[in-house]
Structure formats: structure tokens, C-alpha cells
Amino acid sequence: MGKNFELNPFEIKAEITNILTKLSDVKDFENYAIHYRTLDMQTDKHIIVKLLFKEINSYQKNPDLIKFLLTRYCPKQELVERLWNIIKSNISSNNAKIFALDLLRDIDTSWSYEQCDQYLDNPDELVNSDTKKILDNAITNPEVQIDFLDFLSSLPDNDKIVLLNSLSNDYSNDELANMLVPVFLSMSDSQVGKTALDILGNSKSQLAYHALNSALEFADADTEPLIKKNLSILKLSGIREDNSTEFYKKILSDSKPYKYCITYPDGHGNQAVIVSRIKKSGKIQFVAIVIDDYKGVRDCFGFNEISKFECNAIIERFYRGQRALELTPEILKTILLSAEKLSGTKIPYEYICWKNLLADIEPENIYPNFGEKELSQKEFEEILKYDFTDFWFLNSTYSDEFEDFLKELETISPEKYEQFIDENLEKVFYTDEYTVWHKRILHTAILKYFSGDKVAAKNLYSLYNNKTLVREFFKNILRKSIYEYYFAKNEKEKIQTIEEMWVK
């Protein structure tokens, strides 16, 4: 099988969602083998299995299909063991346990209802004697923390609040705060988030103190006074210093930074980020993050323990077709902090959990002294050939403005394209859009600088500071976008005309 068929975790996640959607009304799953072909071709089925189990413990779309896929991709012994773990777990919903029981009955001949009955929760008994173990494990293992948050997200809002209050009655301090900080930060505008906030205020935890201080930067007018009130409560309880960094540094003392990578932004501003640490045991903690320059942190996925081989294989799949830039942890942390600010209160809880792997890393200034020059025409044309520009074009559904641009483009002849681009450039790159793309040039200059290409960095910084050339640069993006539009439509005559005008 060719490498091109290997998907990264985000692509596998999308493929599973696609299958669950397309086959939502199907019962005879065996007759739809074509839909499983992409997953079948994956060398490593571990990620597929992991994501299918997340579907069980969160929102189950078509449970019979999930059962079918699990038996297809998970070895029987492992499947039986993992199903029993769901049944015995304190953070599995009743629905998930019933799902596991049903599947066990189908695949395990030694199954008996008497074995399982004791593990079915009374809906009112949301916390039992093993919860302390879960809270402890969640501090050192973000996957446990995320499993709890997946479970919490699957509950109705009223049950979420009951569970949070149950936890607060029995536990306090850092273990509780570690679990509830992501709840508050990812749901701050809901009653569930406000409940978590009140519990954090009474937790006597340095982690809560750090989280609430940080949240003030993004708080809206309604939430800000609630945060300040709970900060005051924490101060009255004796928590007056932010020692959270030292807390996490101690936890991270068994590991050190491994690989820190990022791609150049594409035409939508998306960048793929890898953060990883290597433990003294040789195992890797691995996190993949997608950010963009519109909304910040978009998605996050991680493994608490994988081998070096698995880590390198995932990185290869993750960056398929794009150049991965290895940066220092300090520079990459600074870039991620900027993405967090763009996200504001809309940040995935998975990222909030995994970002603690960066707690012992100090951010670094990412605005070096590039130097600036007057670009010659030849140097400007060289910029248009830089590797990242292959992805800098607008697809046909990029924006309403660009869709209108294409509709009108269809009514004119190719010899008028240049004039049309010049007259409509500011409609496509309106003020806000211009600002994002303009900053993208600077951001790419920074990436060039820290990946060792100082000449390209200086050229891009000089372009960034030259309004006339920036406009020419954007015109070239539209030329490329027109070419890609007709290439996707396979309109060979127009493609040939465009190539004669712009490519040759």
C-alpha cells in the first residue's frame, strides 16, 4: 500500500464521522465494504479503535455500526478487555455500559449477566469509591482527563451539574481543580461552566488560581465579575501566588521535550502542530494540534504513551505533502499562546488538557531583527515561487466575496482577467481579510527565520512592509486561485489560455 493512503488522526476521525453519517440508516453493514476501504487500508488500526471507543463514551451515532466497526478493527481479546473496562469504569455512562454489555454478549461466550449487573450504575450514584483514583491519574495522564470530559459532555446539562457538585462535596484542591479547569474554560458561557467556576473558587487550589487569572484576559462582561469574585474567595483561603508552573514542572520531571514541529499556513491559515515529550522509559507523549489565523486553536488529539516508531509514523502521515518545520519548544509555545488568544473562550477542552505538556517551557520572543531591504523585481518573483505558496490560493467556496468574484469571472473573456483582478482585489481582500493575510506574510517570515532560512525571512519581512508589493502579491494569489478553479472544473481550454498568460 502506498503512503498516500495513510491518514493522520484528524483524517481518520473525519472518515469515521463520514461512515457513521452515510450509513446511518443501514443495517446490513457487510454489504457496504466500499465505505470501509480507506480504514481497511490503514496500517495502524490503533487510532481507529481509539476513536471508535470515544464514540461509545460520548455521543453514539448508530451504535450497531460502531459495534460492527469495532469487531472489524479491534482484535477480540483486546476488545473484550476494553469492553470490561467500560463496564467497570466510573466515568462511563449507563448508555456506554449497556452498549458494552450488548457487544460482549455477541462476542464473548463466557459472558454472564450476573457478572455485569453489579457494575450498572444507579443514575443517582454518579460518584463512587474509585473516583479519587481517576482524579489522581488525570493529573499525570491527560487522556484520563479527556475521557472524563468526554463522559461529562455526553450528559444532559442538569446531570453535568449534579456530577460536578458531587465531586465538589467529596474532593478539593489540585486533583479536583485539574479536572474542572477545562470544564470552566471550555464551557464558561454556560451554567455548567459557571458551576465549575464556583467550585474552583472554593477549591483552595493553585491550579484554580492560575486558570481564573488567565481567564480574565478573555472574559466577557457577564463572566468577569464572577471570576473576580471566585478569585477573591481563593485569596481569602490563602491562595495568593500562582505556583501552577512549578506544580506541573514537577509532574513533567520524568520527561523532556522531543519533537516540536509546525507547517507553514495554507490558504485557509491552517497549520498542523506537533508537540511531543520523551519519558525516561523511552515512551513518547504525543499531541497533534490544528490552529489557524482566524479562530486560533481548532482541534487537538493526543496519546499519553506511544513508541518512538509510532510517533515518527504519525508525524509522517500528519505532514503528508507538506514540509514540517522543526522549531524550538520555546518558539512553538509562543505561537500556540498567540493561537489561544485568538480562540478566546472558544477553545477545545482536549487542548486545555494537553497544553500542560508545555508547562516547563518558557515562551520566547518571536520577532527577531529581520533586517529590511528594497526588493528587486527578481526577488519579488522569487518569493512567488517559495514552497509555501503552492497552498496559498482560494478555493471556490472560500468566502461569499470570492464566490461572487467567480460568478462574475465566468461572464468575461480571459484577456480581461488582469483588469478584472485589479478592479476587484479589494472586494475579495476586504479590510479584515487583508489584515489576516498581511499578518500571515509576517508569520511566515518568522517561520522562515527560525527554521534557518534568513534570506527568505528578510525578503518576506521586506514584502510585509511594502504595501505596493503586497497588493501585487495578493493579485498573484487571485491568479493562482482562478487557475485552480478551472483546473478543478477540468476546463482544458481555459487552463491552456491561463497557462499561456501567467505560467509561461
Side-chain angles (χ1 to χ4, degrees):
M1 179 183 66
K3 290 181 180 177
N4 286 343
F5 291 105
E6 295 288 346
L7 304 181
N8 68 52
F10 294 107
E11 291 170 329
I12 293 174
K13 186 177 178 182
E15 185 66 21
I16 289 172
T17 301
N18 187 41
I19 291 171
L20 293 176
T21 301
K22 280 189 174 180
L23 303 185
S24 59
D25 299 321
V26 168
K27 297 298 179 188
D28 52 336
F29 306 120
E30 288 284 2
N31 295 327
Y32 290 83
I34 191 171
H35 292 281
Y36 320 128
R37 186 169 56 184
T38 301
L39 294 184
D40 288 347
M41 287 190 292
Q42 300 309 300
T43 304
D44 180 7
K45 302 295 194 295
H46 173 72
I47 299 172
I48 299 173
V49 172
K50 179 181 177 65
L51 288 168
L52 288 170
F53 271 97
K54 284 177 73 70
E55 290 286 340
I56 294 173
N57 212 16
S58 53
Y59 173 65
Q60 293 178 33
K61 297 176 183 175
N62 198 340
D64 290 336
L65 179 52
I66 297 173
K67 291 173 189 174
F68 172 81
L69 294 173
L70 279 171
T71 56
R72 189 178 186 92
Y73 299 119
C74 188
K76 181 179 176 182
Q77 185 176 346
E78 179 188 346
L79 182 54
V80 169
E81 183 180 335
R82 294 185 72 152
L83 291 171
W84 272 111
N85 288 340
I86 290 174
I87 293 167
K88 295 176 182 180
S89 171
N90 308 294
I91 57 171
S92 297
S93 65
N94 254 11
N95 283 341
K97 292 184 178 186
I98 291 167
F99 174 99
L101 288 174
D102 285 345
L103 186 48
L104 265 178
R105 184 170 53 194
D106 293 338
I107 65 171
D108 186 5
T109 54
S110 64
W111 176 91
S112 71
Y113 184 80
E114 288 71 25
Q115 286 177 284
C116 306
D117 188 37
Q118 61 180 303
Y119 298 113
L120 283 172
D121 294 337
N122 181 320
D124 296 327
E125 296 174 355
L126 292 168
V127 181
N128 62 31
S129 59
D130 289 335
T131 303
K132 180 69 166 67
K133 184 178 178 182
I134 293 168
L135 295 177
D136 288 342
N137 288 342
I139 286 182
T140 57
N141 186 344
E143 284 192 280
V144 175
Q145 195 178 11
I146 290 166
D147 284 344
F148 170 80
L149 291 160
D150 287 342
F151 165 61
L152 182 71
S153 296
S154 72
L155 299 174
D157 282 353
N158 286 343
D159 288 353
K160 287 186 180 81
I161 292 170
V162 170
L163 175 54
L164 296 184
N165 285 326
S166 297
L167 288 171
S168 70
N169 289 335
D170 293 336
Y171 306 101
S172 60
N173 298 332
D174 294 332
E175 292 84 357
L176 178 65
N178 181 65
M179 203 66 98
L180 296 192
V181 163
V183 177
F184 164 59
L185 293 178
S186 63
M187 307 179 192
S188 60
D189 55 352
S190 70
Q191 191 54 49
V192 177
K194 290 179 172 62
T195 300
L197 172 58
D198 288 339
I199 296 170
L200 288 170
N202 289 281
S203 67
K204 300 179 181 179
S205 166
Q206 59 193 326
L207 305 185
Y209 185 83
H210 170 77
L212 300 195
N213 263 318
S214 300
L216 277 176
E217 186 176 351
F218 312 113
D220 58 30
D222 293 331
T223 311
E224 184 177 343
L226 299 176
I227 295 174
K228 287 181 175 178
K229 182 191 82 171
N230 282 287
L231 273 171
S232 297
I233 295 170
L234 280 169
K235 289 175 182 176
L236 288 172
S237 72
I239 307 298
R240 296 176 177 275
E241 292 184 30
D242 183 355
N243 296 317
S244 59
T245 300
E246 293 306 313
F247 176 87
Y248 282 114
K249 278 184 178 179
K250 186 176 179 182
I251 291 168
L252 295 171
S253 61
D254 184 49
S255 66
K256 62 181 180 180
Y258 183 52
K259 290 190 176 182
Y260 285 69
C261 310
I262 192 169
T263 57
Y264 293 115
D266 66 13
H268 289 261
N270 295 307
Q271 291 178 272
V273 178
I274 295 292
V275 169
S276 62
R277 302 181 68 94
I278 185 165
K279 298 182 179 182
K280 289 176 182 176
S281 65
K283 291 291 187 180
I284 305 292
Q285 289 178 293
F286 173 92
V287 189
I289 306 158
V290 174
I291 62 175
D292 72 26
D293 48 17
Y294 291 94
K295 295 184 178 179
V297 181
R298 302 302 299 268
D299 206 349
C300 184
F301 187 96
F303 299 106
N304 195 53
E305 280 198 355
I306 58 176
S307 68
K308 275 187 180 181
F309 175 81
E310 289 172 311
C311 174
N312 293 335
I314 295 172
I315 289 175
E316 184 180 345
R317 276 180 266 164
F318 196 63
Y319 289 130
R320 184 182 68 247
Q322 294 190 61
R323 182 182 168 197
L325 309 171
E326 288 204 31
L327 301 181
T328 65
E330 293 78 12
I331 294 298
L332 200 56
K333 180 168 182 176
T334 306
I335 292 170
L336 286 172
L337 288 174
S338 296
E340 285 180 38
K341 288 181 180 179
L342 274 179
S343 297
T345 58
K346 304 296 182 184
I347 194 162
Y349 59 73
E350 292 90 346
Y351 175 79
I352 296 168
C353 299
W354 283 112
K355 67 174 280 193
N356 291 328
L357 296 191
L358 295 160
D360 61 346
I361 294 167
E362 292 297 323
E364 188 174 308
N365 173 40
I366 61 170
Y367 294 102
N369 182 12
F370 292 103
E372 191 178 345
K373 60 187 290 186
E374 193 69 35
L375 290 171
S376 67
Q377 183 61 29
K378 183 179 179 182
E379 287 168 327
F380 175 70
E381 288 173 2
E382 282 300 311
I383 290 175
L384 301 181
K385 299 174 188 174
Y386 283 171
D387 47 5
F388 65 86
T389 63
D390 289 344
F391 302 97
W392 282 29
F393 61 89
L394 316 182
N395 61 26
S396 60
T397 58
Y398 180 85
S399 66
D400 292 342
E401 291 77 13
F402 187 59
E403 286 187 37
D404 291 341
F405 175 91
L406 291 176
K407 285 177 186 174
E408 195 170 344
L409 183 78
E410 293 279 14
T411 68
I412 65 175
S413 56
E415 63 268 15
K416 294 183 179 179
Y417 283 176
E418 275 296 330
Q419 180 183 348
F420 183 71
I421 289 171
D422 187 64
E423 291 173 351
N424 289 274
L425 188 73
E426 279 71 26
K427 292 179 183 177
V428 177
F429 292 101
Y430 54 91
T431 303
D432 289 346
E433 189 72 6
Y434 178 96
T435 300
V436 170
W437 279 87
H438 190 219
K439 286 181 180 177
R440 193 174 297 168
I441 296 170
L442 175 60
H443 181 59
T444 307
I446 291 167
L447 294 178
K448 284 288 187 187
Y449 184 91
F450 287 109
S451 61
D453 193 343
K454 304 291 176 64
V455 173
K458 186 174 183 177
N459 287 344
L460 284 167
Y461 185 68
S462 302
L463 170 65
Y464 171 78
N465 286 296
N466 188 320
K467 287 185 178 180
T468 302
L469 286 183
V470 166
R471 192 174 192 278
E472 286 302 311
F473 185 75
F474 288 172
K475 284 169 71 172
N476 196 68
I477 289 173
L478 283 187
R479 292 186 193 105
K480 184 174 292 188
S481 303
I482 291 169
Y483 178 80
E484 294 289 342
Y485 171 67
Y486 285 117
F487 189 85
K489 293 180 70 176
N490 199 26
E491 294 197 20
K492 294 178 181 178
E493 190 175 324
K494 283 200 173 176
I495 292 169
Q496 184 178 349
T497 303
I498 290 169
E499 287 179 345
E500 289 171 356
M501 287 194 306
W502 293 335
V503 179
K504 294 178 181 178

